[in-house]
Amino acid sequence: MPEVLIAPNSFKECADSVRLTHLFHEALKSELGSKYSIKDWHFIDKPVSDGGDGFLKVCTENFHLKEKEITVSAPFEGEKVKTSYGYSLENGTVYIESAEVLGMKLIPKGKRHPLRLSSKGLGEILFHLKEEKLAGRLDVKRAVIGIGGTGTSDFGIGMCSILGLKLLDKNKNELKPIPENFLNAESVIWEDPHLGFEVEAILDVNTPLLGENGAARIFAPQKGASPEEVEILEDGIRNIVGILAKKKSTENLLGAGGGLAGGLNFFLNAEYKFAREFLKEDLGLDRTKMKPDLIVTGEGAFDSQSMMQKGVSLILKEFMDTDVPQFICAGKIKDVPSELKKKNLHFIEISAFFNSPVESMRNIEKGILLASEEILKIYFANRG
């Protein structure tokens, strides 16, 4: 009996990976299943996430989590956001999606100024978990935080301000812990907050905290920073790192999530886990453990950046040197790398079924049905 692995990443601003997995499953098993006689095929549903948008839904689906709502500070001043985290009763692990607390989608365009944004909402969740554990209401052993899709670039300083961190200027006056003040900091007050549980950061990119390829210069422009603001961010974080280096090594600080990954590692001793490891070790997407006959994956837009440790690239690389046919479905496809132009890799652009990308996003169910029919046409044609 053929096995079909359905493992898409989220289509940003359209559908999360859990919903897409269900749509592909239903499309392939509905009238298409009867038409192509695949009713008896075995489907393995594995919605994926590289730590960014949709991370919590993927974890809830795969690990059968209990979600708990919580209201925390928004990344910008003066507002709150209602969010949630997932909790595993089985092993005491909490899963948090940073994009649901600090994400670009939560920040109105007029407020996308990274110099004035803060990650304190994430600190409030961690403080809440500490209090829940101390009160005996939640037996938290580990917090796993998906890093990606954030709108903040504050090295986790805002997060840590909730856990006791203070920035002081040369006159020992306390500074508001936001990036526009980082250059004025002369000292950092910080002690281990003794959370009582381990922290793990799931990273979608492997970028340094500082430098030409660092958090500020590569990602801050995408979050609304002007060229001048990018340099202020870079210099400010460099100043904070210089102060911290007097207390503890600042080597191996990474820039994912606007430096949030590096902050979690430095301040809370968080372990890094890259998306490839998460997919293999946690989600079980390991070719030594599964032998699919057909793979369906995809994301909102496939381009040259898609092969940079993103969810789809990890699926492709895992099964690259096998003969398993892989179908990559995306809203838009461009700049497919030459190494991917292989016989067993097939790209399906969903927007090509419609008059425009916007129309395809509005009709995602129909788009998935049409893509599924195309998958089966190609699959059976290649089998002769």
Side-chain angles (χ1 to χ4, degrees):
M1 180 190 300
E3 289 195 343
V4 182
L5 171 61
I6 304 177
N9 204 352
S10 295
F11 285 21
K12 284 187 179 180
E13 299 181 35
C14 181
D16 61 67
S17 58
V18 172
R19 183 180 177 216
L20 288 167
T21 299
H22 293 163
L23 287 175
F24 273 115
H25 187 131
E26 290 305 312
L28 290 166
K29 288 208 76 170
S30 60
E31 57 246 44
L32 289 179
S34 300
K35 181 178 179 180
Y36 288 91
S37 301
I38 64 169
K39 282 284 190 179
D40 295 329
W41 283 16
H42 177 59
F43 290 84
I44 305 170
D45 292 346
K46 286 283 185 180
V48 304
S49 171
D50 49 27
D53 292 271
F55 176 75
L56 182 56
K57 281 195 174 181
V58 166
C59 292
T60 299
E61 179 84 358
N62 281 283
F63 310 136
H64 311 293
L65 307 178
K66 181 178 181 180
E67 287 199 31
K68 296 179 178 287
E69 279 197 351
I70 183 171
T71 299
V72 298
S73 296
F76 47 92
E77 187 73 26
E79 291 195 31
K80 297 284 185 179
V81 295
K82 187 175 286 187
T83 186
S84 60
Y85 59 87
Y87 176 66
S88 170
L89 292 167
E90 184 179 343
N91 57 26
T93 301
V94 167
Y95 293 86
I96 303 166
E97 180 182 328
S98 64
E100 286 292 320
V101 187
L102 315 171
M104 285 286 287
K105 60 189 177 185
L106 301 176
I107 306 169
K109 287 187 178 180
K111 295 183 182 293
R112 292 181 183 178
H113 302 290
L115 286 176
R116 297 196 289 275
L117 298 178
S118 169
S119 60
K120 64 182 180 180
L122 181 57
E124 290 168 0
I125 293 180
L126 294 174
F127 183 80
H128 160 80
L129 294 176
K130 175 183 176 179
E131 294 288 290
E132 291 291 284
K133 183 178 178 73
L134 286 172
R137 291 187 292 266
L138 212 58
D139 184 22
V140 185
K141 295 181 174 66
R142 186 170 62 123
V144 178
I145 305 173
I147 309 294
T150 62
T152 56
S153 299
D154 72 345
F155 182 39
I157 293 293
M159 168 188 71
C160 289
S161 70
I162 303 299
L163 302 173
L165 181 145
K166 297 184 188 301
L167 299 180
L168 304 180
D169 66 14
K170 62 182 180 181
N171 297 315
K172 305 299 181 185
N173 296 315
E174 188 173 344
L175 296 168
K176 190 174 181 179
I178 54 176
E180 69 180 2
N181 293 328
F182 287 179
L183 263 176
N184 296 322
E186 290 284 330
S187 60
V188 178
I189 296 175
W190 172 252
E191 293 182 2
D192 187 343
H194 301 292
L195 293 175
F197 50 85
E198 296 177 352
V199 180
E200 183 176 77
I202 308 299
L203 313 185
D204 62 342
V205 292
N206 184 3
T207 55
L209 178 64
L210 298 166
E212 289 304 312
N213 297 312
R217 293 191 173 130
I218 295 297
F219 298 112
Q222 301 171 16
K223 302 178 182 187
S226 68
E228 294 78 15
E229 289 171 328
V230 166
E231 293 311 310
I232 294 172
L233 274 171
E234 174 78 8
D235 293 342
I237 293 175
R238 190 178 298 279
N239 179 52
I240 297 294
V241 170
I243 295 169
L244 296 173
K246 299 171 185 175
K247 302 180 180 182
K248 176 182 170 183
S249 172
T250 55
E251 292 184 11
N252 196 35
L253 295 182
L254 298 183
L260 181 60
L264 285 165
N265 176 260
F266 183 89
F267 295 111
L268 301 177
N269 299 309
E271 294 289 330
Y272 295 137
K273 178 179 277 190
F274 290 101
R276 180 180 177 83
E277 301 169 279
F278 177 70
L279 263 61
K280 292 184 69 168
E281 297 172 11
D282 298 67
L283 299 185
L285 285 163
D286 185 338
R287 71 180 186 186
T288 65
K289 298 177 181 176
M290 56 171 55
K291 305 292 181 184
D293 300 284
L294 170 65
I295 297 170
V296 178
T297 185
E299 62 185 0
F302 189 95
D303 54 30
S304 56
Q305 290 189 26
S306 294
M307 297 306 289
M308 297 172 59
Q309 293 294 324
K310 299 292 184 181
V312 169
S313 76
L314 302 175
I315 300 291
L316 296 181
K317 289 174 182 177
E318 184 66 18
F319 295 92
M320 183 74 80
D321 56 357
T322 71
D323 293 327
V324 180
Q326 298 188 62
F327 291 83
I328 301 91
C329 304
K332 290 290 293 181
I333 295 173
K334 65 176 183 177
D335 302 326
V336 175
S338 57
E339 68 268 21
L340 295 186
K341 294 178 180 178
K342 292 189 169 189
K343 188 175 181 180
N344 66 328
L345 297 182
H346 309 278
F347 291 84
I348 297 175
E349 187 174 53
I350 294 175
S351 62
F353 299 127
F354 300 91
N355 294 322
S356 69
V358 172
E359 185 183 345
S360 71
M361 290 173 69
R362 289 174 179 164
N363 296 277
I364 187 63
E365 294 90 348
K366 183 178 179 181
I368 295 301
L369 183 63
L370 293 170
S372 297
E373 184 160 19
E374 188 71 12
I375 288 169
L376 294 177
K377 281 181 183 176
I378 296 170
Y379 177 75
F380 282 105
N382 288 344
R383 292 185 65 193

